[in-house]
Amino acid sequence: MAKRPTTSLWISPLSSLFLPRGGDTLWFALALLSFFSLLLHEISLSAASPSPQQPPHFEGFGDELEELEDSLSDSTIQLTDLPPSPSLTQSDSQTHHGPPETQSSDQSSQLSDSSSRISPKPSQFEYWDEDEFEGLPIDLPSEPVEITETATPSSVSEATSEPTSPKPAVAFTWRSYIVEVVCISFLISFLINYFTGKRENENLALSWAAKFATKDSIFEKNFSLLGVGEGDDSPLLLKEGQNVFKFYASGRRYCQGLLATMELKSRHDLIARIYNMVIPCKDEITFEVYMNEDAMDHVVLAVAKKKAAKGMHKEMADLQGFASLMSPPSNRKWVSEDLTVISESKEVSSDLITESVLDQVFGEKAFEKLGKAFFSMHISDQHYGTHKKKLVFKFALPDANHMADMTRLVALVPYYIDLVGRYKLSSQARSKTDAARVKAAQEAFKELQSARQEALQKKKAEKKKMVEEAEAKLSAEAIRKRETKERARQMKKGMPKIKMTRAH
């Protein structure tokens, strides 16, 4: 028996796989045809997939959609708003006897029924396969719509057409940022007002110094040293705040020195500026002259407007204790009706309110011009504080362009320094003032003693309270020992004292 070649041993199984035998040829052809048909089907699906710019197209629904569009051409129903039509599937059952049987009659009846009546289904995705179709509409209609044979296109359009307008974009409005705009505006206004108000106060203080504290001015003629320093280049004004400025002068007889304090409006503060618009106030300047101890006699005198004078008489201890309200004399010219004089005696008031002062400041005619700028004048040797003998003048500052209007008021300061320094009481008036001061000193000493006694009693009470608290914390044994010691000390204290003497 002839021997087969080795190559035919492995070729024959392969040929048996690809080349069917006898009756299997038909089955092999059908299988191969089915494979290629499925391959072409998948290729056609991938090629027919809708692009982003084109509307989606689903296989098997074209005929029904075309018929529906023809029947409702005048209607406004959108395809995306309608429920999907029943899906049509093709049977893949094939036999070896021939091609599959078609169901043309059933399909035509179904298409005619669907064109005449479309009934909604419970869910849009019940008949569609999510894996097979893409681009399905996700917005479901709010209410299903039934289209019957008797329905007209107008009724269908009214029932199904709901205008879906896009949400309007939120427009930018300033009303949404009212709080932020107000806060930022307030901060900007506050900063601008701070710098402008600061500059206004500085200009006002410098204007006053230029008028009354420079060369050939009132204070330069009456004091040898002006300013806060000792050198020639020392500043005239000392700024203690944005609205507080001080001026110092010394080197004059009868007094140790003069301190002028300007308290201006808080123009740098926006809230204070608004408050001043509602309740007006004025810029003030206060002159305090510290007199020498031997240059001032027993003098208590005050001149102020009527309302301010009553307040001073109640608040000032020296005025309350030594002075009283003076009635105008009948035999001489006196101060304006708007002013009130508080004095320790008539002699003091008549001697210190001279004719020249009445003509220049306190008289009726003069005070009509200067009354708005004058606040008070207080001369006393019983001031509260370290310096008892002191002269105090309070005036209102005009604006920077009208500083010359207060020249007469400023001239009162050096005038009264000399007048009070030279003034001496009569013996009769001096005896009364001495008696009043002795009485006041005794009352002050009694008050001091009572204050010391109160302090000592308070200290003893605190000490006793501390001892009681310490005893409350002691144990019973410690308390017993302490009582024994206290008893022995009392017994020893009660025994008679025996004096021992040595016999000679």
Side-chain angles (χ1 to χ4, degrees):
M1 193 173 194
K3 201 174 188 178
R4 289 184 181 183
T6 56
T7 56
S8 63
L9 295 176
W10 55 273
I11 292 174
S12 60
L14 294 175
S15 61
S16 63
L17 291 174
F18 294 99
L19 298 177
R21 301 175 185 177
D24 296 336
T25 305
L26 181 60
W27 292 103
F28 180 80
L30 290 174
L32 188 62
L33 182 61
S34 300
F35 173 77
F36 282 107
S37 64
L38 291 173
L39 181 62
L40 291 175
H41 179 69
E42 292 294 331
I43 292 172
S44 63
L45 286 177
S46 61
S49 61
S51 61
Q53 293 80 10
Q54 297 177 356
H57 176 72
F58 305 113
E59 183 178 359
F61 295 90
D63 297 337
E64 294 178 6
L65 295 177
E66 289 177 1
E67 292 176 3
L68 184 61
E69 290 176 356
D70 294 336
S71 62
L72 304 176
S73 59
D74 298 330
S75 144
T76 58
I77 300 178
Q78 298 181 1
L79 294 179
T80 56
D81 295 334
L82 292 175
S85 61
S87 61
L88 301 177
T89 58
Q90 295 179 358
S91 175
D92 292 338
S93 62
Q94 298 178 359
T95 60
H96 63 282
H97 297 287
E101 297 178 2
T102 60
Q103 301 176 357
S104 60
S105 61
D106 296 340
Q107 293 179 2
S108 61
S109 62
Q110 291 178 3
L111 290 174
S112 62
D113 294 337
S114 63
S115 62
S116 62
R117 181 180 69 258
I118 298 175
S119 61
K121 301 300 179 181
S123 175
Q124 183 179 3
F125 301 97
E126 184 176 356
Y127 300 103
W128 288 357
D129 189 1
E130 296 180 355
D131 298 332
E132 183 177 0
F133 301 103
E134 296 181 356
L136 295 178
I138 60 175
D139 295 334
L140 296 176
S142 59
E143 294 181 358
V145 180
E146 294 185 0
I147 304 176
T148 59
E149 295 179 356
T150 60
T152 59
S154 61
S155 63
V156 172
S157 62
E158 291 177 0
T160 59
S161 62
E162 293 182 1
T164 57
S165 59
K167 294 183 178 180
V170 179
F172 177 79
T173 57
W174 287 105
R175 295 180 180 179
S176 303
Y177 301 93
I178 292 177
V179 178
E180 289 80 358
V181 169
V182 170
C183 293
I184 294 173
S185 302
F186 178 78
L187 291 176
I188 295 173
S189 303
F190 191 88
L191 291 175
I192 295 173
N193 179 79
Y194 176 82
F195 291 105
T196 55
K198 175 183 174 183
R199 181 61 60 86
E200 288 179 10
N201 285 340
E202 290 177 353
N203 292 337
L204 185 61
L206 292 174
S207 299
W208 181 89
K211 179 63 179 177
F212 300 105
T214 54
K215 189 176 180 181
D216 297 333
S217 62
I218 294 176
F219 291 109
E220 198 272 337
K221 294 178 180 179
N222 288 274
F223 294 89
S224 60
L225 180 61
L226 303 178
V228 296
E230 296 181 356
D232 296 335
D233 298 334
S234 60
L236 292 174
L237 298 177
L238 176 63
K239 184 178 180 181
E240 290 192 349
Q242 301 301 333
N243 62 327
V244 179
F245 299 86
K246 289 191 175 183
F247 167 76
Y248 183 76
S250 61
R252 195 182 194 283
R253 62 178 181 174
Y254 304 130
C255 69
Q256 299 176 6
L258 175 143
L259 178 64
T261 304
M262 285 178 277
E263 296 180 358
L264 310 179
K265 298 178 184 178
S266 298
R267 294 181 174 88
H268 63 285
D269 189 353
L270 181 60
I271 298 176
R273 185 186 283 265
I274 297 172
Y275 179 79
N276 292 334
M277 291 179 182
V278 179
I279 302 176
C281 64
K282 296 181 179 180
D283 300 315
E284 297 182 7
I285 183 169
T286 303
F287 296 94
E288 296 179 3
V289 182
Y290 305 102
M291 302 295 290
N292 295 331
E293 292 295 331
D294 57 348
M296 186 174 179
D297 209 343
H298 297 166
V299 175
V300 176
L301 175 69
V303 180
K305 294 181 179 180
K306 290 184 177 181
K307 187 176 180 179
K310 292 180 180 179
M312 291 174 63
H313 189 250
K314 293 179 180 180
E315 296 174 0
M316 301 292 182
D318 57 335
L319 296 178
Q320 187 177 5
F322 299 98
S324 61
L325 298 175
M326 302 298 296
S327 59
S330 59
N331 55 356
R332 61 163 296 185
K333 188 178 179 181
W334 198 237
V335 297
S336 174
E337 294 180 355
D338 297 332
L339 296 175
T340 300
V341 178
I342 305 172
S343 177
E344 188 173 5
S345 63
K346 292 183 179 180
E347 180 181 344
V348 173
S349 60
S350 61
D351 292 341
L352 294 182
I353 300 177
T354 60
E355 293 291 337
S356 60
V357 172
L358 292 173
D359 294 337
Q360 296 293 325
V361 180
F362 295 145
E364 287 289 346
K365 294 182 179 180
F367 197 75
E368 290 179 359
K369 298 179 180 178
L370 303 176
K372 295 181 180 179
F374 178 81
F375 287 157
S376 65
M377 180 184 70
H378 186 192
I379 302 170
S380 176
D381 65 324
Q382 296 294 319
H383 270 287
Y384 179 79
T386 306
H387 298 277
K388 291 186 175 295
K389 296 183 177 182
K390 191 164 57 175
L391 313 181
V392 180
F393 302 85
K394 286 187 178 181
F395 307 133
L397 279 173
D399 56 11
N401 298 326
H402 299 86
M403 280 295 169
D405 295 345
M406 65 176 307
T407 303
R408 293 184 181 181
L409 296 176
V410 175
L412 287 176
V413 177
Y415 176 81
Y416 270 101
I417 291 175
D418 293 336
L419 182 60
V420 173
R422 293 192 302 261
Y423 180 70
K424 299 298 180 183
L425 286 170
S426 63
S427 59
Q428 185 179 0
R430 181 63 182 265
S431 62
K432 291 181 180 180
T433 56
D434 289 342
R437 277 153 182 77
V438 169
K439 184 179 179 180
Q442 291 176 356
E443 291 178 355
F445 181 76
K446 289 180 181 179
E447 291 179 359
L448 182 61
Q449 289 295 329
S450 62
R452 288 180 181 178
Q453 291 294 331
E454 289 178 1
L456 289 174
Q457 291 178 2
K458 186 177 180 180
K459 189 175 181 181
K460 286 181 180 180
E462 291 178 354
K463 187 176 180 180
K464 186 178 179 181
K465 185 177 180 181
M466 292 175 63
V467 171
E468 290 176 355
E469 291 178 354
E471 288 179 354
K473 296 179 181 179
L474 294 176
S475 60
E477 185 66 21
I479 294 173
R480 187 183 62 79
K481 289 181 179 180
R482 182 168 181 175
E483 289 178 353
T484 304
K485 280 184 179 183
E486 185 68 21
R487 193 180 304 112
R489 189 176 65 82
Q490 292 293 338
M491 290 176 64
K492 185 178 179 181
K493 186 177 181 181
M495 291 177 65
K497 295 181 180 180
I498 300 173
K499 186 176 182 181
M500 301 294 292
T501 58
R502 181 179 295 181
H504 295 285

